Amino acid sequence: MNETHPTFHILTWGCQMNEDDTEQIALFMEQAGFLAANSADDADVVLLNTCSVRRKPEDKAYSKLGELAEIKRHRSRMVIAVCGCMAQAEGAEIARRAPFVDLIVGPGRAADLPALVGALLNGNDGGGNSARARAPRMLLDSEAGEPNTVPLRAVGRPSRLRAFVPAMYGCDRFCTFCIVPLTRGRERSRPLEEIVAEVRSLAATGTREVTLLGQTVNYYGRRLPGRPSFADLLRAVSAVPGIARVRFTSPHPRGFTQEVIDAMAALPQVCEHVHLPLQAADNHLLKRMKRGYTIEQYDDVLQKLRAAMPGVSVTTDLMVGFPGETEAEFEATMDYVRHALFDAAFMFAHSPRQGTKAAAMGDQLDRATKVRRLSALIELQNRITTEINARLVGSVQEVLIDGRSARDEMRLSGLTRTFKTTHVELPNGHTGEPVPRAGDIVEVVITHAGLTGLVGRMAVLPETRQLQRTKGSRMAACAAD
């Protein structure tokens, strides 16, 4: 171990909020003098930033802990910390199954990690006790003080083209299947000025696109002084010089107001993409899930979005196998998917989470039924996604370039405003205009399309018609000269 600058490595599972949490953990560790290691094998400190929304990421975390146990047998001074939602939800179970773990830390305690880890590396637990002769220390968010406390964030974020920026934490919805309110706590929003300051700092280092995060991000500001709305936040972030694109995830259908739709349609920086979780399309099922809306109300939001922004891309979350789901209720979801024509969907089978009301329901479905329904839903949605993408062949799309494609050096890759991965073919011999760089926005004629994205070439007039500049419809058919 480097006594002056011990090393750390973070393993991450879960959503965009977890990815941002990992960046914050890394910043706190680096600011305390720790150095990042390339792998867990090379690190003095291994931190697992975990997810507890479904069972699969939990299983992966336990599997990784089994691998780390073998490493720690030969490197007894290595510190292992389990952080995040799984730590908050299953701290006692982690301690039982993996007693070699040193720390179990809730998702709001990133700022405490350097001191906790440092005390362990120095041979005590921070209270003068031996660090190697005790059970794992647990520091969960219930110890963090007032329930509306916003986690402390580190400053000096690294330069990157795209960045996640949390607007709020926690959730007050308490859907019967969801563990987030139990692991992330109740809703609390960051002050608008603080968010804008962070976005300004990111823009100054080259960030071109920001994604505002929140479990129910469009409920932003309800408990802040003056009650700034989510539309206010969109306007403020869009006004930051240097920010070309603004995205957000995930809104709740019930809180999707006309003010937000109008702001999205009016602000050039806000992208024409909405991830609008549905879960199911039967009203009885939605009520048992405690989603707070009917399928008619959801569809009303969907149609208003499409009317305000023609060409908007809408993606969603879809769940099968909720306790008691009948064949008719499942078919209602399938029928609505055929009607709604989502651009893409994150589809999964219900996974009982201990502590949620759904986990205690008596009419749990068997695995075979869940697998059958999920397979049918995936097949349907994949067909719809492929057809929607195929319709874009011949259109011109604005693509924010990330850099060279990882699979083909003769292509660039990036995202359209509608959140579609696009590979851009370079001109033969790289003649003519300079090759676009990461951060450039280029106009691309789409030549091929598939399930996972688009392929195109850079548009050069007069090969293409004049682009339509209407907000929400930045596509024009490619015309032969």
Side-chain angles (χ1 to χ4, degrees), residues 275-329:
H275 186 78
L276 191 65
L278 171 61
Q279 307 302 350
D282 178 88
N283 286 337
H284 295 291
L285 198 54
L286 289 169
K287 186 174 182 179
R288 296 202 300 275
M289 291 179 173
K290 199 183 174 184
R291 288 295 288 166
Y293 52 82
T294 64
I295 189 59
E296 291 79 13
Q297 290 168 330
Y298 180 97
D299 194 64
D300 182 60
V301 173
L302 180 62
Q303 300 312 320
K304 286 178 178 177
L305 282 165
R306 287 175 169 165
M309 292 176 289
V312 65
S313 167
V314 181
T315 56
T316 194
D317 294 338
L318 297 167
M319 178 193 298
V320 302
F322 185 80
E325 180 189 57
T326 66
E327 200 68 30
E329 289 169 341

Side-chain angles (χ1 to χ4, degrees), residues 194-205 236 239-241 243:
E194 179 183 306
I195 297 170
V196 172
E198 183 170 347
V199 173
R200 286 186 183 279
S201 175
L202 288 165
T205 63
V240 174
I243 297 299

